[in-house]
Amino acid sequence: MADALGQISIAELKGIGPAQSQKLSRLNLYTLQDLMLHLPHRYEDRTRLTPIVYLAPDQGAVIEGDVVHTQIQFGRRRSLLVTLRDDTGQIAIRFFHFSKAQQLSLAPNRRIRCYGVPRRGASGLELYHPDYSNALEEPLPTTLTPVYPITEGVSQNRLRKIIQQGLKRPDLALGLPCLLPNPDFPDLIDCLRYVHAPPQDADVQRLMTGLDPHQRALALEELTAHQLGLVKLKSQLSQRRAPALIADQALINTFHQTLGFTLTQAQQRVIEEINQDLGKPTPMLRLVQGDVGSGKTVVAAMAALVALTAGHQVALMAPTEILAEQHNRSFADWLAPLGLTPTLLTGSMKASLKKQHLADLESGSIRLLIGTHALFQEGVLFERLGLIIIDEQHRFGVNQRMALRDKGRNSDTTPHQLIMTATPIPRTLTMTLYASMDCSVIDELPPGRSPVQTSVLANAKREAVMSRLDAACQMGAQAYWVCTLIETSEVLNAQAAEAVLAELSAALPRRSIELIHGRMSNSEKSAIMARFKAGEIQILVATTVIEVGVDVPNANFMVIDNAERLGLTQLHQLRGRVGRGKAQSYCLLLYQPPLGPLSKQRLAVLRDSQDGFYIAEQDLAIRGPGDILGERQSGDIAFKIADLARDDDLLPIANRLANQIASRSEETTQALMKRWIGVVERYQQA
Ligand code: ADP
Ligand code: MG
């Protein structure tokens, strides 16, 4: 029986009772459709027998032979060792877990067939835990064998059988109607039949890499479903109301005069784009991308100024206290001459002060609030929030952004949102994760910046690096020495940084060297940053806490320890802390040999390029999207089959199809989203 969307429950399949349904639900399999879209992550070729003499390490094969010997070995681990022979040779098969029944079924003179992947072991090639059976009369499969993601209580074989059963159902097409008008691609049902049971002569390599046309057709449908989610998001947002904010031109002029520098063309263009949005009675949702140092803060200040002079409150949220304080200072410098003073709200603030701020916020006497995660916590209420600015958005989850937005939402208006990111987002991701936003790019650096001279050096050069650093400090430079660890533990990071501090202090006794790390209290961190900014500290030994946003123009020298451990995007962010002033800047990437080929490639990309967009594209190609966006957001782009790096050429097609479908049929839209995304809520908030 099918439900409203033509869905056939998995319980309708033969042999699936409540207990089995329960287990399948752990894999999010509820309907025939879910089952059909549960796709193999690899394949095995079990279609032919291989003579034992031809077995090769790491290449799966089916063999058939007689058991000549069975024994239990008591070594470091107890195991059952079976010797199997055919006309061409013999091989050892080993089981570390086995039952009495298994032992008996593998007694000498039994003939078995098994599939396994030979590995080099104690006695030459061995098979560990192969699939085996005594049913020699059964023909070999004529299709490749799919391997699925499984869960406890649902074995690979069981799942294969259930899916095969599903494929044979006469009502399959009813449960999975064709939804994409898609003449250039194979039909959905054909695709599913193919990917669950590829013919013997299918190109396995192509299937394994997801490049088979049947897989690509499915990927296109999936991408289209996600694009539909984004199209819907955008249209929902456009139906909400927002205050139309019009700038006070006289104040804007004064602002320009007090700045002390001229805005770049790119900054002016982006400000213009923002002002256009703010002037409309629908909420802005704009992402500003700009490479490190491109001057996003002043663009944000300009937007804030517009909203403030139009009589609305503004909230700016930054991912760290150091950064919130830095913004607070910049905004105060720029806006105080106009009579607008920001207020800082952070988690580490004294409770009484926080309470006072919250009261002032609610009464409306605080107009501009700058802070950290503390901003979207309970008890924070705005009187008239007109604009939300989020800095370094990849540090926040989508839900955190929503939470802040909802604080300013009343029955009839939604605040405008300006989102800034220094992690340049490759085009493929802009077209997926961020397609519901409008996008502005600051593609120009303020004048007078020269590229950071970057070198890649083995750790053996450490002493030479230290004397170079010493000489640079002698000439008035300030430097960061960044310590990195693989472990995400701040305790270990802090220890490593302390060791480096001791090392540098001993080697460079004339320098004033201090330490900053994530285990320090926020007030300690701020005090250190303030002294560094004031020039009292020459070398700042730091963990990656300084990665995001910190701006000290006089710092023009950076050493990164164990640079091979960090991703490209993160290294680029770190390097962006230097090269902010007029003087030539240097970044030395120290690595611990031996360097693998990928790491070598990564560091070379960084040495040869300063272009954040190029670097992000390379990072995407080398490591995939999750690493660029950080853990928080990578969960938002979990696809069943599509892969953004591999299938990016399908995005424009998916985008076009989505717009077509959205304008024609709400029913198809819902059905596609349900099919591929399941929980549609993910795209229900803008
Ligand atoms: P990011 O885009 O990385 O957030 P910031 O906003 O911190 O960059 O700006 C980096 C530095 O450049 C700051 O010291 C800022 O005052 C300065 N700056 C911004 N715009 C200009 C400009 N048009 N001309 C000169 N300096 C600028
Ligand atoms: Mg910034």
Side-chain angles (χ1 to χ4, degrees):
M1 233 181 38
D3 73 4
L5 284 169
Q7 295 297 296
I8 296 158
S9 161
I10 217 164
E12 308 246 329
L13 282 122
K14 274 195 226 70
I16 299 196
Q20 189 77 32
S21 292
Q22 173 62 31
K23 285 175 187 156
L24 289 167
S25 74
R26 287 191 219 139
L27 291 167
N28 285 324
L29 304 178
Y30 302 96
T31 63
L32 179 61
Q33 172 165 291
D34 297 338
L35 192 63
M36 290 298 106
L37 295 179
H38 190 68
L39 300 170
H41 53 69
R42 59 185 182 85
Y43 296 92
E44 291 168 355
D45 186 352
R46 303 186 176 196
T47 59
R48 58 208 151 74
L49 285 181
T50 301
I52 288 177
V53 69
Y54 289 134
L55 291 180
D58 306 322
Q59 283 177 23
V62 186
I63 56 175
E64 214 174 273
D66 300 308
V67 175
V68 287
H69 194 70
T70 301
Q71 96 188 78
I72 294 181
Q73 276 199 340
F74 298 90
R76 235 178 328 144
R77 278 176 79 188
R78 199 173 81 110
S79 63
L80 179 69
L81 186 67
V82 176
T83 309
L84 194 73
R85 178 160 63 200
D86 70 4
D87 296 341
T88 68
Q90 62 181 42
I91 186 165
I93 301 177
R94 209 181 278 278
F95 295 88
F96 292 103
H97 318 277
F98 55 92
S99 62
K100 192 76 197 163
Q102 255 177 322
Q103 196 183 334
L104 289 174
S105 71
L106 292 166
N109 295 324
R110 293 291 184 114
R111 193 170 172 79
I112 60 165
R113 177 189 289 167
C114 62
Y115 175 87
V117 182
R119 310 272 183 216
R120 293 190 198 283
S123 63
L125 285 185
E126 294 191 354
L127 289 178
Y128 299 97
H129 284 271
D131 267 5
Y132 72 95
S133 96
N134 298 92
L136 304 176
E137 65 290 354
E138 260 183 33
L140 287 168
T142 53
T143 57
L144 299 180
T145 303
V147 181
Y148 295 103
I150 50 174
T151 184
E152 220 186 302
V154 185
S155 72
Q156 197 59 251
N157 270 329
R158 181 91 185 100
L159 194 56
R160 278 182 196 134
K161 290 217 169 82
I162 300 171
I163 291 177
Q164 292 304 325
Q165 189 198 144
L167 284 171
K168 291 197 190 100
R169 278 181 76 100
D171 56 0
L172 185 61
L174 188 72
L176 282 110
C178 188
L179 298 172
L180 276 200
N182 188 7
D184 300 338
F185 285 81
D187 171 76
L188 176 70
I189 301 289
D190 290 345
C191 289
L192 292 172
R193 291 220 161 92
Y194 193 96
V195 298
H196 285 295
Q200 200 163 1
D201 58 354
D203 183 339
V204 185
Q205 198 47 42
R206 203 166 65 169
L207 276 166
M208 294 284 213
T209 46
L211 289 171
D212 189 280
H214 299 87
Q215 290 168 313
R216 299 258 296 162
L218 293 173
L220 176 65
E221 202 182 296
E222 180 171 38
L223 289 171
T224 306
H226 283 261
Q227 292 285 318
L228 274 170
L230 294 162
V231 170
K232 276 188 82 72
L233 253 187
K234 206 163 183 170
S235 85
Q236 277 166 16
L237 194 64
S238 71
Q239 282 156 22
R240 297 229 184 88
R241 312 294 298 162
L245 308 172
I246 307 294
D248 174 335
Q249 200 51 48
L251 272 177
I252 300 277
N253 293 342
T254 320
F255 178 80
H256 279 291
Q257 281 154 19
T258 53
L259 258 188
F261 53 76
T262 317
L263 295 173
T264 63
Q265 293 276 332
Q267 284 170 320
Q268 288 179 32
R269 190 190 67 239
V270 171
I271 287 171
E272 187 46 40
E273 286 165 359
I274 294 168
N275 287 347
Q276 291 283 338
D277 287 354
L278 292 177
K280 289 183 199 149
T282 48
M284 166 173 83
L285 181 57
R286 184 168 285 278
L287 178 72
V288 173
Q289 299 186 52
D291 213 337
V292 271
S294 61
K296 292 180 290 293
T297 317
V298 68
V299 170
M302 194 66 129
L305 181 62
V306 172
L308 291 169
T309 60
H312 285 262
Q313 286 172 303
V314 175
L316 187 161
M317 183 160 75
T320 63
E321 298 213 353
I322 293 184
L323 204 52
E325 279 166 17
Q326 181 178 291
H327 285 326
N328 188 49
R329 237 173 292 123
S330 309
F331 274 57
D333 286 351
W334 292 328
L335 298 177
L338 310 176
L340 301 161
T341 324
T343 303
L344 187 67
L345 184 79
T346 61
S348 64
M349 215 162 225
K350 271 222 305 269
S352 55
L353 186 58
K354 207 188 275 177
K355 204 167 154 209
Q356 182 58 49
H357 284 342
L358 293 182
D360 292 347
L361 197 63
E362 200 170 347
S363 74
S365 62
I366 289 180
R367 311 303 300 167
L368 170 55
L369 185 70
I370 296 181
T372 53
H373 300 75
L375 254 59
F376 58 76
Q377 262 132 42
E378 229 173 295
V380 182
L381 285 171
F382 292 83
E383 186 240 350
R384 221 174 161 216
L385 183 59
L387 171 66
I388 292 169
I389 303 169
I390 303 203
D391 194 19
E392 308 293 352
Q393 62 86 34
H394 63 289
R395 291 298 174 109
F396 297 101
V398 176
N399 293 337
Q400 295 176 317
R401 180 163 64 79
M402 301 304 178
L404 182 54
R405 183 202 63 186
D406 289 341
K407 294 201 171 292
R409 225 164 119 183
N410 55 37
S411 51
D412 47 42
T413 67
T414 300
H416 296 284
Q417 295 180 69
L418 180 64
I419 296 162
M420 304 194 291
T421 179
T423 305
I425 301 169
R427 191 186 53 88
T428 45
L429 299 189
T430 325
M431 286 185 70
T432 45
L433 198 49
Y434 298 102
S436 62
M437 302 181 184
D438 293 305
C439 204
S440 295
V441 182
I442 310 182
D443 50 5
E444 183 186 355
L445 293 179
R449 303 254 172 95
S450 50
V452 180
Q453 249 188 47
T454 305
S455 344
V456 180
L457 300 162
N459 200 30
K461 299 269 168 61
R462 206 174 174 81
E463 274 180 29
V465 167
M466 285 194 266
S467 30
R468 238 180 106 180
L469 175 60
D470 199 37
C473 289
Q474 191 61 35
M475 307 288 290
Q478 284 181 277
Y480 299 98
W481 187 297
V482 186
C483 309
T484 59
L485 272 188
I486 315 176
E487 289 85 355
T488 44
S489 147
E490 263 303 326
V491 180
L492 291 176
N493 271 317
Q495 282 171 3
E498 266 163 36
V500 171
L501 174 70
E503 181 192 5
L504 290 180
S505 307
L508 312 175
R510 290 179 302 168
R511 303 291 152 225
S512 74
I513 311 178
E514 298 270 353
L515 179 65
I516 189 164
H517 60 68
R519 297 271 294 167
M520 293 163 103
S521 76
N522 284 304
S523 57
E524 284 175 291
K525 277 190 275 193
S526 319
I528 296 273
M529 281 318 291
R531 288 178 49 218
F532 188 55
K533 217 165 184 160
E536 292 164 28
I537 297 172
Q538 287 177 295
I539 303 175
L540 188 61
V541 176
T543 56
T544 47
V545 293
I546 59 145
E547 176 197 349
V548 167
V550 171
D551 183 40
V552 181
N554 193 48
N556 68 342
F557 201 103
M558 174 175 282
V559 180
I560 304 180
D561 248 339
N562 298 109
E564 77 280 6
R565 291 176 176 171
L566 296 184
L568 271 180
T569 317
Q570 210 183 354
L571 285 168
H572 179 63
Q573 286 289 317
L574 278 170
R575 180 175 57 179
R577 302 307 115 220
V578 295
R580 295 182 158 239
K582 295 251 154 27
Q584 172 64 54
S585 291
Y586 301 91
C587 179
L588 310 185
L589 305 172
L590 279 177
Y591 66 87
Q592 195 64 52
L595 210 51
L598 273 189
S599 309
K600 200 172 227 162
Q601 190 190 341
R602 291 220 312 263
L603 295 182
V605 166
L606 204 73
R607 181 191 59 215
D608 300 336
S609 174
Q610 308 271 326
D611 177 348
F613 279 89
Y614 171 75
I615 291 169
E617 299 278 359
Q618 294 300 309
D619 209 11
L620 181 67
I622 300 175
R623 298 198 309 168
D627 286 305
I628 294 183
L629 298 167
E631 279 166 45
R632 281 255 170 61
Q633 296 199 335
S634 50
D636 295 348
I637 45 167
F639 292 108
K640 288 186 204 294
I641 188 163
D643 175 310
L644 291 178
R646 181 187 66 214
D647 301 321
D648 69 333
D649 57 318
L650 296 177
L651 279 170
I653 313 177
N655 187 276
R656 190 165 38 76
L657 286 169
N659 281 307
Q660 251 177 41
I661 294 167
S663 65
R664 287 194 201 145
S665 164
E666 177 61 22
E667 205 181 326
T668 311
T669 302
Q670 289 295 336
L672 267 169
M673 287 178 65
K674 179 89 182 84
R675 174 178 293 174
W676 289 99
I677 304 162
V679 201
V680 184
E681 285 76 42
R682 215 171 97 191
Y683 284 112
Q684 277 180 351
Q685 288 192 303

